[in-house]
């Protein structure tokens, strides 16, 4: 049975090529291309003061790598237009008497207009603005204390900035986006490509009618289903190894954990993903339905609820429940744990167990659902 | 007269074929149910459930000082950004929590923290950050630096007798005005994003699968020897599927986005639907090209996945488009979703009209036309 399925798959050379090429190519594209850091925010400036200090202040934004300077505006209405047109995402308006007030020791409010369509980016941009304002304020305060109180630079510095934060980044010491993305992308590509491999297996036979040959043959249910799964599990496992090699070799992501643990988790996970495809294949009547349902079932929860982009902790309850009902989250924990944290089974046992349960449950349900004597 | 009659027959044939596609689709119950789910319940869950802003970052504290100052500092780590995950006695215990993923941050406050602040000395707190998710880790660190900076400045100036007299200090404060989504309700963004994702997936897959199905079964030869032109055959599929998708989209719009999340429609609804139709056509072009290259539905599935994956992740709803590497931006000029994102958020939230959007619209037209043309050419050539 497996041999027949294998032959059928290998005969379709284009499909086979894609089955191997897709995960590898995706890892390259997303690994290099998917940048989650918010940088180069396009912004424009309206300087109503035109003083030395306002220029000094604005220079800090222009030089920041987080902002990308798009030019000066003459009036507020021009900024409105640029924002609506999405030419800029932020605008800074320096008020009149900016320098005068600061030199006199008075506070000044600088107005920023932010594009709120992407709240995450808005929030981050706001953070950058506040950070730059804070740094500028500190310099002004130090200058002010020196002039008004005759303090030394050193002493004024301590007063203004007595508390500092020493940040130590764990697991990904240089905070590289690729390091945190690539392991999760291994999960992502497996989760997306594997179910699609199996999704059409049964339904194709249903559509062409050849499933009746199976119904009337001596092939048992388990034999049939294993036969449908096995070749694709093999393909997916080869992909696991290829992806692992690429992550370690090409992207130089450290692998601190236990390879055996990682691999067995991958086997379980591949069982789940190919099983999901097969399950869908059993439930629907047409290949078209199988294709679309599989793609959405595989893609949407994986992008949203797997921990790939959004940490599980920041999901609301409903979404958290959905995340736990799906194997991707557990595998993400294992992959990130094995690559970056180097933790072993003592920490990851629960995720491993969950994957095992998923694999068992999916195969159980599939087995129950597939009867050789369909009602209709 | 004959020209007009020809045109009507042409139209009628197209209509008949479109109707056939619709009938075929309505017979596929699981698919229909799933379509309904994707544009209703699924939008509801992901719209309400996801926040990409830093939320609930679990913070552990090791307070070696236990003083008014240390307590006050800890108190400043507030929800929704931070979630206090408890105090620990031993820093090593904290590391174990970080290893197990039970906490994201560990703040260590040194002994004599209060004393140092009161006497105007320099002091430092240490923050350990789990950066397996790099952007979130960086974001949490930035918040912490901001909180500590403000707290320190207040204390330092107070120790110099300058507290409460902020009015006489040269400080630059930020007055933010957020446009288009003043309360920064992330549900607006997420629910729209989800609808965009669903529309795109269905727009690629439905017509592609429908076309390749005919090829696989050999019924496409029958269609070709009939008086139908290849254009009619392809166009009928796209027309039928676009109709279905637009219907599903209105369900999402009037069933979920408006009543539940109160997403505004600042621009013209008509314009939005018109441009959605354009997006569906253009995206369907990708599917049709794939369908002409593929021999069976398995291949078409793989090929479309190949296109849809990068489209969804790199067009600008999952990651900031402006900070993408240039080569990604270059590739993404071929993604209709990239333009459709600007159009949708532009029309719905910004109230943008055609004068603002004409560039995106032009790009989509060009892209859609090219894809359709190429698909047609391939389709014709295959059967001659």
């Amino acid at each position: 049975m497996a041999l027949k399925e294998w032959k059928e798959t290998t005969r379709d050379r284009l499909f086979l090529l894609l089955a191997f090429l897709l995960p590898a190519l995706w890892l390259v594209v997303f690994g290099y291309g998917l940048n989650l850091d918010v940088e180069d925010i396009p912004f424009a400036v309206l300087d109503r003061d035109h003083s030395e200090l306002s220029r000094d202040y604005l220079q800090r934004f222009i030089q920041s790598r987080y902002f990308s300077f798009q030019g000066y505006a003459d009036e507020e209405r021009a900024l409105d237009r640029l924002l609506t047109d999405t030419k800029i995402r932020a605008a800074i308006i320096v008020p009149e008497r900016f320098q005068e007030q600061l030199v006199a020791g008075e506070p000044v409010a600088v107005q920023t207009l932010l594009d709120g369509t992407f709240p995450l980016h808005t929030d981050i941009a706001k953070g950058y603005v506040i950070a730059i304002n804070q740094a500028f304020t500190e310099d002004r305060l130090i200058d002010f204390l020196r002039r008004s109180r005759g303090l030394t630079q050193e002493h004024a510095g301590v007063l203004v900035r007595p508390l500092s934060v020493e940040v130590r980044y764990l697991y990904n010491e240089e905070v590289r986006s690729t390091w945190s993305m690539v392991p999760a992308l291994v999960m992502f590509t497996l989760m997306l490509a594997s179910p699609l491999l199996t999704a059409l297996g049964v339904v194709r036979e249903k559509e062409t009618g050849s499933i009746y040959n199976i119904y009337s043959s001596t092939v048992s249910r388990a034999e049939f289903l294993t036969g449908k799964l096995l070749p694709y599990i093999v393909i997916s496992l080869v992909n696991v190894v290829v992806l692992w090699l690429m992550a370690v070799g090409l992207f130089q992501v450290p692998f601190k954990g236990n390879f055996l643990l990682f691999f067995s988790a991958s086997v379980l996970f591949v069982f789940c993903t190919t099983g999901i495809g097969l399950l869908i294949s059993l439930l629907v009547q047409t290949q078209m339905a199988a294709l679309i349902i599989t793609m959405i079932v595989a893609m949407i929860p994986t992008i949203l609820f797997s921990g790939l982009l959004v940490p599980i902790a920041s999901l609301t309850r409903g979404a958290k429940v959905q995340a736990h009902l799906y194997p991707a989250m557990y595998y993400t924990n294992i992959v990130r744990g094995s690559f970056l944290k180097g933790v072993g089974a003592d920490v990851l046992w629960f995720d491993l167990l969950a994957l095992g349960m998923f694999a068992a449950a999916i195969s159980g349900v599939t087995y129950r659902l597939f009867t050789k004597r369909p009602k209709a | 007269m004959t020209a007009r009659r020809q045109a009507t027959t042409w139209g009628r044939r197209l209509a008949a074929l479109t109707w056939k596609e619709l009938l075929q689709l309505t017979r596929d119950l699981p698919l229909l149910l799933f379509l309904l789910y994707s544009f209703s319940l699924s939008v509801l869950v992901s719209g309400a459930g996801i926040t990409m802003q830093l939320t609930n970052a679990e913070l552990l504290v090791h307070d070696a000082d236990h003083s008014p100052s240390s307590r006050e500092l800890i108190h400043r780590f507030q929800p929704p950004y931070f979630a206090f995950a408890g105090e620990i006695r031993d820093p090593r215990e904290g590391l174990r929590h970080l290893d197990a993923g039970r906490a994201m941050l560990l703040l260590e406050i040194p002994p004599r923290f209060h004393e140092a602040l009161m006497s105007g000395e320099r002091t430092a707190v240490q923050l350990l950050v789990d950066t397996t998710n790099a952007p979130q880790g960086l974001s949490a660190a930035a918040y912490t630096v901001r909180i500590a900076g403000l707290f320190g400045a207040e204390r330092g100036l107070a120790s110099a007798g300058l507290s409460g007299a902020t009015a006489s200090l040269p400080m630059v404060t930020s007055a933010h005005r957020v446009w288009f989504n003043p309360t920064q309700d992330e549900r607006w963004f997420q629910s729209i994003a989800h609808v965009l994702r669903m529309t795109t997936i269905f727009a690629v897959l439905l017509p592609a699968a429908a076309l390749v199905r005919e090829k696989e079964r050999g019924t496409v030869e029958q269609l070709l020897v009939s008086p139908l032109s290849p254009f009619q055959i392809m166009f009928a599929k796209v027309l039928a599927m676009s109709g279905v998708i637009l219907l599903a989209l209105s369900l999402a719009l009037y069933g979920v986005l408006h009543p539940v999340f109160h997403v505004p429609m600042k621009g013209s609804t008509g314009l939005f639907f018109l441009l959605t139709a354009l997006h569906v056509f253009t995206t369907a072009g990708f599917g049709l090209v794939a369908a002409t290259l593929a021999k069976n539905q398995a291949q078409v599935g793989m090929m479309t996945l190949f296109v849809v994956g990068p489209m969804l992740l790199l067009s600008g709803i999952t990651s900031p488009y402006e900070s993408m590497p240039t080569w990604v931006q270059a590739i993404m000029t071929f993604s209709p979703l990239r333009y459709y994102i600007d159009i949708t958020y532009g029309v719905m939230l910004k109230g943008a009209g055609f004068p603002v959007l004409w560039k995106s619209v032009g790009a989509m037209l060009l892209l859609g036309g090219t894809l359709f043309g190429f698909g047609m050419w391939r389709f014709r050539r295959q059967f001659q």
Side-chain angles (χ1 to χ4, degrees):
Chain A
M1 205 43 225
L3 196 69
K4 174 238 151 201
E5 194 67 22
W6 180 252
K7 274 192 183 148
E8 207 163 276
T9 316
T10 46
R11 212 183 310 140
D12 192 343
R13 248 185 277 151
L14 182 62
F15 181 72
L16 197 67
L17 184 74
L18 286 173
F20 284 116
L21 204 62
L22 183 120
L25 215 66
W26 267 19
L27 194 64
V28 173
V29 170
F30 294 138
Y32 285 115
L34 192 57
N35 180 12
L36 294 175
D37 310 329
V38 179
E39 286 167 7
D40 298 322
I41 302 163
F43 80 107
V45 162
L46 174 56
D47 187 352
R48 289 202 172 122
D49 195 37
H50 291 293
S51 61
E52 200 183 316
L53 220 50
S54 74
R55 268 190 296 276
D56 175 33
Y57 171 72
L58 289 169
Q59 203 57 35
R60 295 185 184 220
F61 285 90
I62 294 170
Q63 277 167 1
S64 159
R65 74 186 170 95
Y66 299 115
F67 291 94
S68 158
F69 181 56
Q70 303 294 317
Y72 290 98
D74 305 322
E75 47 168 6
E76 216 175 314
R77 253 186 307 167
L79 295 176
D80 296 4
R81 247 197 327 277
L82 289 170
L83 275 169
T84 312
D85 211 357
T86 324
K87 290 274 191 305
I88 57 170
R89 295 271 186 205
I92 298 161
I93 304 174
V94 179
E96 288 136 16
R97 299 185 53 236
F98 177 78
Q99 174 166 312
E100 199 185 315
Q101 283 182 303
L102 282 179
V103 172
E106 288 166 36
V108 183
V110 171
Q111 177 131 126
T112 33
L113 307 178
L114 295 164
D115 180 342
T117 40
F118 293 54
L120 169 73
H121 308 165
T122 314
D123 201 44
I124 293 176
K126 214 191 239 177
Y128 293 152
V129 172
I130 292 176
I132 290 179
N133 281 348
Q134 222 172 354
F136 187 74
T137 300
E138 277 167 12
D139 286 356
R140 295 324 313 152
L141 280 173
I142 291 172
D143 187 61
F144 177 74
L145 289 175
R146 277 173 56 201
R147 279 189 294 114
S148 64
R149 298 228 172 167
L151 299 178
T152 60
Q153 173 91 19
E154 171 73 22
H155 190 181
V158 175
L159 281 183
V160 172
R161 231 175 163 270
L163 179 59
S164 56
V165 182
E166 289 162 11
V167 184
R168 251 182 66 204
Y169 298 107
L170 295 176
Y171 315 124
N172 179 1
E173 289 77 5
E174 291 158 57
V175 208
R176 291 193 206 168
S177 241
T178 40
W179 281 21
S180 67
M181 277 316 284
V182 168
L185 282 171
V186 172
M187 177 282 299
F188 181 72
T189 43
L190 282 179
M191 187 65 232
L192 258 60
S194 313
L196 205 61
L197 295 172
T198 46
L200 300 180
V202 180
V203 79
R204 181 165 46 206
E205 306 225 1
K206 267 196 226 168
E207 244 184 25
T208 57
S210 61
I211 193 126
Y212 290 102
N213 296 341
I214 304 293
Y215 289 155
S216 57
S217 74
T218 52
V219 177
S220 78
R221 288 199 279 171
E223 280 169 357
F224 176 71
L225 292 174
T226 326
K228 284 281 173 202
L229 270 183
L230 212 56
Y232 304 111
I233 291 185
V234 173
I235 294 180
S236 303
L237 286 179
V238 172
N239 280 334
V240 169
V241 176
V242 171
L243 292 177
W244 184 85
L245 284 174
M246 283 174 69
V248 174
L250 189 63
F251 290 101
Q252 310 271 316
V253 182
F255 187 80
K256 298 174 186 161
N258 181 341
F259 185 75
L260 203 67
L261 177 85
F262 168 72
F263 195 74
S264 22
S266 302
V267 172
L268 285 177
F269 185 61
V270 164
F271 256 98
C272 294
T273 55
T274 49
I276 290 173
L278 195 61
L279 188 59
I280 293 171
S281 196
L282 281 172
L283 289 173
V284 299
Q285 301 304 323
T286 61
Q287 292 195 54
M288 187 159 130
L291 205 61
I292 292 173
I293 295 178
T294 309
M295 213 174 269
I296 290 180
V297 164
M299 199 176 280
I300 298 305
T302 314
I303 295 180
L304 302 179
F305 305 126
S306 67
L308 171 73
L309 302 167
V310 190
I312 304 294
S314 31
L315 298 175
T316 57
R317 251 221 340 265
K320 226 181 251 180
V321 168
Q322 195 165 348
H324 282 83
L325 290 176
Y326 208 67
M329 181 194 93
Y330 306 99
Y331 188 59
T332 311
N333 286 345
I334 295 178
V335 176
R336 282 206 172 131
S338 303
F339 269 98
L340 298 173
K341 290 188 176 179
V343 288
D346 51 324
V347 172
L348 297 171
W349 63 271
F350 180 74
D351 299 297
L352 214 53
L353 187 73
L355 279 185
M357 270 158 52
F358 270 107
I362 291 171
S363 354
V365 172
T366 313
Y367 184 74
R368 283 296 297 273
L369 275 178
F370 180 68
T371 56
K372 289 179 75 174
R373 288 185 188 78
K375 272 173 247 147
Chain B
M1 200 54 199
T2 41
R4 213 174 111 196
R5 195 179 302 154
Q6 263 176 355
T8 34
T9 8
W10 192 89
R12 253 195 236 138
R13 279 177 188 152
L14 188 66
L17 205 58
T18 312
W19 184 241
K20 169 228 151 207
E21 291 296 337
L22 280 174
L23 276 181
Q24 213 164 5
L25 196 67
T26 48
R27 278 197 215 120
D28 201 334
L29 191 64
L31 186 60
L32 275 186
L33 284 178
F34 207 74
L35 183 75
L36 273 181
Y37 161 79
S38 305
F39 281 92
S40 54
L41 208 64
S42 176
V43 178
L44 200 64
V45 171
S46 23
I50 298 166
T51 39
M52 309 233 331
Q53 305 179 37
L54 185 76
T55 22
N56 297 335
E58 301 104 328
L59 174 81
L60 281 174
V61 179
H62 174 235
D63 185 356
D65 194 36
H66 284 289
S67 61
S69 294
S70 70
R71 271 192 293 275
E72 156 114 44
L73 177 64
I74 295 167
H75 191 68
R76 296 208 175 183
F77 289 84
Q78 285 286 337
Y81 305 117
F82 298 95
F84 187 63
E87 212 179 301
I88 44 159
R89 296 255 172 76
D90 185 0
R92 269 173 304 178
E93 190 192 327
L95 275 181
R96 272 200 301 279
H97 284 294
L98 287 178
D99 273 347
R102 279 193 293 268
M104 185 187 175
L105 307 159
L106 173 58
L107 181 73
E108 286 194 50
I109 299 173
R112 285 196 64 249
F113 177 72
H114 183 67
E115 214 181 308
L117 279 181
M118 294 314 275
S119 57
E121 284 172 44
R122 266 187 215 280
T123 178
V125 291
Q126 205 184 43
L127 183 77
L128 299 178
V129 190
D130 175 352
T131 36
T132 41
N133 189 328
Q136 293 277 338
L138 281 178
S139 189
Y143 270 112
T144 308
V145 170
R146 207 196 293 169
I147 290 171
L150 268 180
F151 178 74
E154 275 172 33
R155 283 309 166 97
L157 292 173
S159 75
L162 283 168
S163 74
T166 15
S168 66
L169 288 174
M171 298 175 82
V172 176
T173 54
S174 319
H176 299 290
R177 246 192 337 182
V178 178
W179 286 34
F180 312 127
N181 184 354
T183 51
Q184 286 198 65
D185 187 344
E186 201 170 348
R187 296 177 312 169
W188 288 10
F189 171 73
Q190 293 295 354
S191 59
I192 297 176
H194 198 74
V195 172
L196 296 187
R197 273 187 213 115
M198 287 301 179
T199 312
T200 308
I201 297 178
F202 277 100
V204 175
L205 275 176
L206 277 177
L211 186 62
V212 95
R213 176 173 56 196
E214 310 248 14
K215 249 168 102 174
E216 208 176 350
R217 290 196 186 157
T219 45
V220 74
E221 272 88 353
Q222 290 174 17
L223 284 176
L224 278 168
V225 294
S226 71
L228 298 160
S229 69
F231 176 78
Q232 277 173 317
I233 298 173
M234 276 175 66
F235 199 66
K237 294 195 188 302
V238 177
L239 215 55
M241 304 310 175
S242 310
V244 172
I245 292 172
L246 285 182
L247 216 61
L249 183 81
S250 11
L251 171 74
L253 200 60
Y254 297 111
V256 182
L257 296 200
H258 286 330
V260 184
F261 298 133
H262 308 292
V263 179
M265 171 63 86
K266 291 231 181 90
S268 137
T269 315
L271 182 70
F272 174 65
F273 274 97
L274 190 73
L275 294 179
T276 304
L278 179 63
H279 169 64
V280 173
F281 274 92
T282 311
T283 316
F286 272 108
L288 289 179
V289 170
T292 61
L293 295 172
K295 286 197 188 64
N296 52 47
Q297 300 199 33
Q299 288 181 355
V300 123
M302 275 304 197
M303 278 194 243
T304 42
L305 185 62
F306 208 76
V307 176
V308 170
M311 229 155 91
L312 291 187
L313 283 188
L314 301 175
S315 288
I317 30 177
T318 20
S319 52
Y321 187 75
E322 281 101 12
S323 21
M324 293 280 179
T326 345
W327 62 270
V328 172
Q329 289 187 2
I331 295 174
M332 282 302 124
T333 49
F334 295 104
S335 159
L337 182 57
R338 195 238 153 309
Y339 306 106
Y340 186 53
I341 288 170
D342 280 350
I343 290 173
T344 310
Y345 288 101
V347 174
M348 288 175 90
L349 300 184
K350 300 186 177 180
F354 195 72
V356 170
L357 299 170
W358 66 272
K359 262 189 199 156
S360 304
V361 175
M364 279 235 273
L365 274 175
L366 200 68
L367 193 64
T370 318
L371 284 170
F372 253 85
F374 183 71
M376 284 282 294
W377 176 73
R378 286 268 328 166
F379 190 62
R380 262 202 204 122
R381 224 185 48 153
Q382 261 176 341
F383 295 101
Q384 270 164 16

